[in-house]
Amino acid sequence: MKQEKDYNFWPAFSDLMLVLVLILVVVLFSAITRIGNESQLEQDNLRRFNTSLMANLRCNGMKDLNKDLWIDLLKTGQPIGISSRMVSGTQVYRFGSDLLFETGSSALLPQGKAALTAFASCMKSNQRFIERVQIQGHTDTEEGGTAGTEQVDGLSLSARRSMEVYGYLSQVEGIDPHAFLLSADAYGSCVPVRRTEQSQWNRELTFVHNRTEFMRDQNRRIEIQVKFKNFYQSSFTN
């Protein structure tokens, strides 16, 4: 009786492993390419937005001070607090207290309206590159205000300010909230500027970073956060 030959499965196994390795290489290459494309497009959209913003503000240029972009809106020779920085993939435009509101007030100043008009124009011309926009109101630990005869605390004041900006952009400048996923939020004094640089936070540190007038002035602000579309989002919406 003829004995059957033992089947050698190792060549087939090695071929299978080779195919799996090739598939893994292709997947990794595609992922790296996708990340690169997303990063590059977000940077292109950001650069396009900032160039448009500078043109709409009719300013002489942007200066890089401590990683912030300061725009001299009124051409007074002094920067008046529109700064920009990237935080976790979202571009944050910070409008200082001296630009939009008087201390304790939620009524927009004339120069604040001019800045928001320029910002709205920039949003409209770059709409196809923007994923979402959020307005955030912030105060210092000492700031409160009045609304008619009513006293309001810092959180309420920051809410009124963010809603004031929201209303100006949507009602006066015609920004469609649904087209930009536009939203408004309020933080009061709980998120001072320095908080973004700390991994741990507590009540004591909040007051430490509000101990001088300069610190409090920095913390009284409106931030407009703009998330730009990445490569794949843009390819589906174009």
Side-chain angles (χ1 to χ4, degrees):
M1 183 175 179
K2 190 174 179 181
Q3 188 175 3
E4 291 187 2
K5 220 175 187 182
D6 290 339
Y7 177 73
N8 188 354
F9 71 93
W10 288 110
F13 179 77
S14 62
D15 290 343
L16 176 62
M17 292 304 295
L18 180 60
V19 171
L20 292 176
V21 169
L22 289 175
I23 292 174
L24 179 61
V25 169
V26 171
V27 170
L28 288 175
F29 179 78
S30 300
I32 293 172
T33 302
R34 172 174 177 170
I35 292 172
N37 286 337
E38 289 181 350
S39 177
Q40 183 59 49
L41 191 81
E42 285 174 341
Q43 289 299 317
D44 291 344
N45 289 340
L46 169 61
R47 193 179 305 109
R48 186 183 294 108
F49 190 91
N50 283 341
T51 300
S52 176
L53 179 59
M54 189 168 61
N56 280 300
L57 290 171
R58 296 193 179 96
C59 61
N60 295 324
M62 292 184 177
K63 296 181 180 179
D64 189 357
L65 302 176
N66 297 324
K67 298 183 180 179
D68 282 350
L69 297 174
W70 293 90
I71 302 172
D72 185 4
L73 174 63
L74 300 182
K75 298 183 179 179
T76 59
Q78 296 180 350
I80 60 167
I82 301 179
S83 63
S84 172
R85 68 174 61 197
M86 183 71 75
V87 178
S88 301
T90 300
Q91 193 69 15
V92 180
Y93 294 91
R94 182 184 302 158
F95 292 73
S97 60
D98 57 346
L99 177 60
L100 296 183
F101 305 100
E102 291 182 350
T103 302
S105 171
S106 59
L108 279 168
L109 295 169
Q111 66 265 28
K113 293 179 180 179
L116 291 176
T117 296
F119 198 86
S121 177
C122 186
M123 288 175 63
K124 292 173 184 175
S125 61
N126 290 273
Q127 178 178 341
R128 64 192 291 256
F129 307 113
I130 296 173
E131 178 185 339
R132 63 179 181 271
V133 178
Q134 185 182 57
I135 303 161
Q136 297 183 353
H138 301 269
T139 63
D140 60 48
T141 51
E142 296 184 4
E143 192 178 28
T146 58
T149 59
E150 178 189 359
Q151 282 291 128
V152 295
D153 58 18
L155 181 62
S156 300
L157 181 60
S158 67
R160 291 174 187 271
R161 285 175 172 172
S162 62
M163 288 306 301
E164 184 75 11
V165 172
Y166 180 97
Y168 188 85
L169 291 177
S170 60
Q171 297 170 20
V172 178
E173 294 300 327
I175 293 294
D176 181 1
H178 298 94
F180 290 91
L181 297 180
L182 184 65
S183 61
D185 210 342
Y187 290 85
S189 61
C190 293
V191 189
V193 170
R194 292 289 183 181
R195 177 168 182 167
T196 60
E197 301 172 8
Q198 301 286 339
S199 58
Q200 301 294 327
W201 205 256
N202 55 41
R203 182 179 184 276
E204 181 181 351
L205 280 175
T206 299
F207 282 88
V208 165
H209 287 291
N210 278 275
R211 67 178 181 271
T212 68
E213 179 53 37
F214 175 75
M215 289 177 171
R216 290 191 293 273
D217 182 66
Q218 284 190 315
N219 293 329
R220 295 191 299 270
R221 68 199 190 278
I222 287 286
E223 292 184 352
I224 300 182
Q225 299 195 355
V226 181
K227 178 69 174 69
F228 293 101
K229 292 178 180 177
N230 60 35
F231 177 81
Y232 286 91
Q233 288 172 308
S234 294
S235 60
F236 281 124
T237 55
N238 288 345

